[in-house]
Amino acid sequence: MSTRVTLSDVADAVGVSPQTVSRVLNHHPSVRPETRQKVLAAVQALGYEPNLAARSLASGSSGAVGILLTAGLSHGMASTFSAIARAVRERGDTFVLATADGDAPESVREALAHLHGHRVAAIVVLAQRADVLAVLSSQRHRGPVVAIISGQHEFSTLSTVSIDQALGARLATKHLLTQGRTRLLHVTGDMSWQDSSERLAAYQSVCAEAGIPARWVGTDAWTGEAGARVARRLLENGLPDAIFAGNDDIALGLCHELLAAGVRIPDDVAVIGFDDIPLARWATPSLSSITQDFDALGRASLSLSDELVGGEPPHSVSLEPRLVVRSSTAKS
C-alpha cells in the first residue's frame, strides 16, 4: 500500500526546512535559485502532490477559480469557458466547475454555495439570462464574483465583463443600410436571452434613425432549424431585401432554405449573422457576421477577478465586437 509523500519528506530529501519547501511551492521570492531548483527536482522525483484541502483550511482559500455555468454550451458559452480554463492552466492555477439552471434561482444559489464550499478565491459566472444577475446581486458573497453577461445591467454592486451587443447589432444593421438595402428584417434568437433583447433594441434604433420600418420576427431558439422555419414563411409571404439574423446558426438555416428555393444571396436578399462561428467563412456564400472575441472575454473576467481579490471595488468591463464582411452581403 503506497504512502502519500509529505512536505516533510521533500524537505528531508533536500536538507531544508518544510517552510522552505512551502515557500518554493508558493513562489516566494526569498528562496535562493539553487535551493528552488533542488526542491522542485525533489518534488518531481518523489511525486509530491500538495494537499489542497489542508492548504485551503489553513489559508481560508484553495486558490482555485470557481466557474459557474448557468446555460447550455452554445458557441459563445463554450468558447468563453475554454478561454477561461486555458488561461487558468497557463498561470498554473486550478478551477472548480459547477452548473446551474439559469431559470431557477435556487439552483444558482446552490451552485454558488457549492463553489464557496470549495473555498475558491473567486467565482466567474457565465450568465446569459438577466434572472441570474438578479440572484447574484442579491447574494452576500464570501469572495469576489464576476459575471460574464451579454450586455448592460442595472446592478451597481455587481462586477461584470461583456461584449457590447448593442454595438454589434448597430454595426450589422448599418452595414446592410450602406449596401443600399431598405426592406430589412431582423430574426431574433431566444428572446428570453439578454443577447436577443439588446440586439433587437439596437436594430430598432438604427432603423428609426434611418427612417425605415424595423420589421422583426422572434424565435424560441438559436438553431439553424429556427432560421429555416422563418425562411419557409418568408418564401410564402414575401421576402425582405436584407436579413440580420440573431446568430450565425440562424443565418445559415435561412440561407439554406432561401438558396434551395432559388433565391440569390446577396443579390436578392443580403444575410448577416452574429458570432462569426468557424463555419461562417466556409459557407457558400461565405457569411458576413459580427465577431465576438470570446478568448479576450474569458481572460478579461480573470483579470477583473484578480483586481477584486486585490481589493479593487466592483466595476464593469465592456469589449467591442467587430464587423466581418463576406459574400452574403457584398454584391459582386
Side-chain angles (χ1 to χ4, degrees), residues 304-321:
L304 180 53
S305 68
D306 288 341
E307 293 176 12
L308 297 175
V309 170
E312 292 291 323
H315 59 285
S316 295
V317 175
S318 180
L319 307 180
E320 293 190 356

Side-chain angles (χ1 to χ4, degrees), residues 314-329:
H315 59 285
S316 295
V317 175
S318 180
L319 307 180
E320 293 190 356
R322 182 171 56 88
L323 170 68
V324 177
V325 179
R326 298 194 180 99
S327 300
S328 67
T329 58

Side-chain angles (χ1 to χ4, degrees), residues 143-293:
V145 174
V146 175
I148 296 178
I149 64 173
S150 299
Q152 305 301 312
H153 68 93
E154 53 189 40
F155 304 106
S156 60
T157 60
L158 189 59
S159 294
T160 61
V161 180
S162 64
I163 296 177
D164 193 333
Q165 301 298 302
L167 174 59
R170 293 182 70 86
L171 290 172
T173 308
K174 287 184 175 181
H175 170 63
L176 295 176
L177 293 174
T178 62
Q179 298 298 305
R181 312 290 176 156
T182 57
R183 293 180 290 109
L184 275 56
L185 176 71
H186 177 42
V187 181
T188 76
D190 184 344
M191 284 301 292
S192 69
W193 289 44
Q194 192 176 4
D195 309 55
S196 285
S197 58
E198 296 234 348
R199 294 172 193 174
L200 173 59
Y203 161 78
Q204 291 172 322
S205 175
V206 174
C207 287
E209 293 168 4
I212 63 172
R215 294 179 57 210
W216 65 279
V217 175
T219 70
D220 59 359
W222 296 93
T223 63
E225 177 55 37
R229 286 196 297 269
V230 172
R232 289 191 286 268
R233 294 201 301 270
L234 293 176
L235 288 167
E236 293 179 358
N237 301 321
L239 295 172
D241 63 5
I243 299 174
F244 165 31
N247 73 349
D248 290 345
D249 288 323
I250 292 173
L252 292 173
L254 282 158
C255 288
H256 180 274
E257 291 295 310
L258 295 177
L259 290 168
V263 177
R264 298 171 301 164
I265 298 175
D267 299 83
D268 299 326
V269 180
V271 180
I272 187 169
F274 209 107
D275 285 343
D276 197 22
I277 62 176
L279 185 58
R281 64 180 297 191
W282 302 113
T284 304
S286 58
L287 181 66
S288 294
S289 190
I290 301 297
T291 290
Q292 303 190 81
D293 192 338

